[in-house]
Structure formats: C-alpha cells, structure tokens
Amino acid sequence: MRGLARAVAITLGVALQLAPAAASPAPDALKLVGDQVGDQAAAESISDKAVGYLCQLRVAYSQRWVPPVLFIAHDPETGRVVISDPVALYHNAGLPVRGKVASESTARVSFTWDYPVGAGSQQTRRMLYRAGIDKASGKVTVTAIPAGFDSVFQADGRCEAQPLDELSAQP
C-alpha cells in the first residue's frame, strides 16, 4: 500500500501545486491544467504540512456512487483540498475535483466536495460527497447524495495518511 500511496502522492502533489490538476502527471495534461489555472497558481507551492490520505473502501454494488479507492490531498496552510477517485475522474473530464474542509479537530477531519453528473443529458444534477476520517485509526466513512433526491450512498474503510512534500510533487 505504501508504494501505491507514494504514486498517488506524487500525482496529487502536482495537483496541489496546480489545483485542480490532471489525474496523472503526463506533460500534455499538466499543460492543459496550467492553462486552466494560470501562472499564479503554478507559482504556488505546497506547505510542509500537506497531507495525502489514500483510502480503501468496502463498497457494496448498491452503493456504487462511492468509489472503492479515494485520494484526498490537503494543505492546511493554504486550505487547498484536491480529491481524486475513479467516479470523480469519470464525471469531471479526467480531472480531480476541488474540495474543502468541512470540520477538523485533533481527532477527526471531514472533507466535502461535489461535481455535476449527467452533463449533456436533461437530468444533470450535482453529487454531494462527504468523507469523515478518524486521524488515529484511519477509519473513514464516505457518503454520496445526489442533490434533490432522497438516495444516500455510503461506504466505509481505512485511510493511510502520509505527508506530501515538494520533492514528491515533481513528475
């Protein structure tokens, strides 16, 4: 799991620097992201307090709006949060999405994010996500709710937290 966490940290360290960034550090994807974000964001760097959470979730088929793997990059100094998972990448043109810290204490941190699904159809709606992570045990619960509907999708699992640094953010 550490090798996968390192690979994801490298990918999303770049995302934290360029936010939002491509799902992989391919030069064409980074150029596209750089064009979208602008020179100012590209000049910013991540702090030494930035953390990457790599989460493995047990997802029942009926809960498939919750991804089986989730990566959250959080830089507490800048407040920047970048979320990457297969569901978000599929619905967001292959790009991670921005999130925000909903709450944080010494024991727990919660992140929220959303993105449109069904774009191009007449039933476009936003999927609203929340992930609550227990910092000591790594236990995570992820909830997905389609805006305007009563459905709730939920799964839990474990996250491994690792620091992100500028060296690991280089492609």
Side-chain angles (χ1 to χ4, degrees):
M1 178 132 159
R2 284 208 183 276
L4 179 59
R6 178 102 173 121
V8 174
I10 290 169
T11 299
L12 284 166
V14 172
L16 274 174
Q17 284 187 313
L18 300 177
S24 66
D28 292 341
L30 291 178
K31 181 183 179 316
L32 172 67
V33 169
D35 292 345
Q36 290 175 349
V37 175
D39 294 333
Q40 179 183 0
E44 295 177 24
S45 63
I46 62 173
S47 75
D48 58 353
K49 295 181 182 176
V51 177
Y53 297 93
L54 178 61
C55 306
Q56 301 279 332
L57 300 157
R58 293 174 299 278
V59 183
Y61 183 76
S62 63
Q63 305 300 304
R64 64 190 167 273
W65 278 103
V66 177
V69 176
L70 171 69
F71 187 82
I72 302 170
H74 174 220
D75 186 343
E77 286 190 5
T78 63
R80 195 174 304 148
V81 176
V82 178
I83 313 291
S84 183
D85 67 68
V87 179
L89 294 172
Y90 177 81
H91 289 285
N92 197 42
L95 298 173
V97 296
R98 285 187 183 215
K100 58 184 173 182
V101 175
S103 65
E104 185 168 16
S105 69
T106 56
R108 187 170 170 79
V109 62
S110 293
F111 301 98
T112 60
W113 66 99
D114 64 83
Y115 48 83
V117 295
S121 71
Q122 293 181 347
Q123 297 185 14
T124 301
R125 64 188 171 277
R126 296 198 79 71
M127 284 299 291
L128 312 172
Y129 285 86
R130 182 178 193 94
I133 303 170
D134 181 285
K135 292 179 180 179
S137 68
K139 184 177 179 196
V140 63
T141 300
V142 177
T143 304
I145 302 171
F149 291 86
D150 292 335
S151 302
V152 175
F153 303 94
Q154 192 169 35
D156 33 282
R158 296 251 180 251
C159 295
E160 179 182 320
Q162 290 191 355
L164 297 177
D165 58 38
E166 285 193 86
L167 294 177
S168 69
Q170 302 305 314

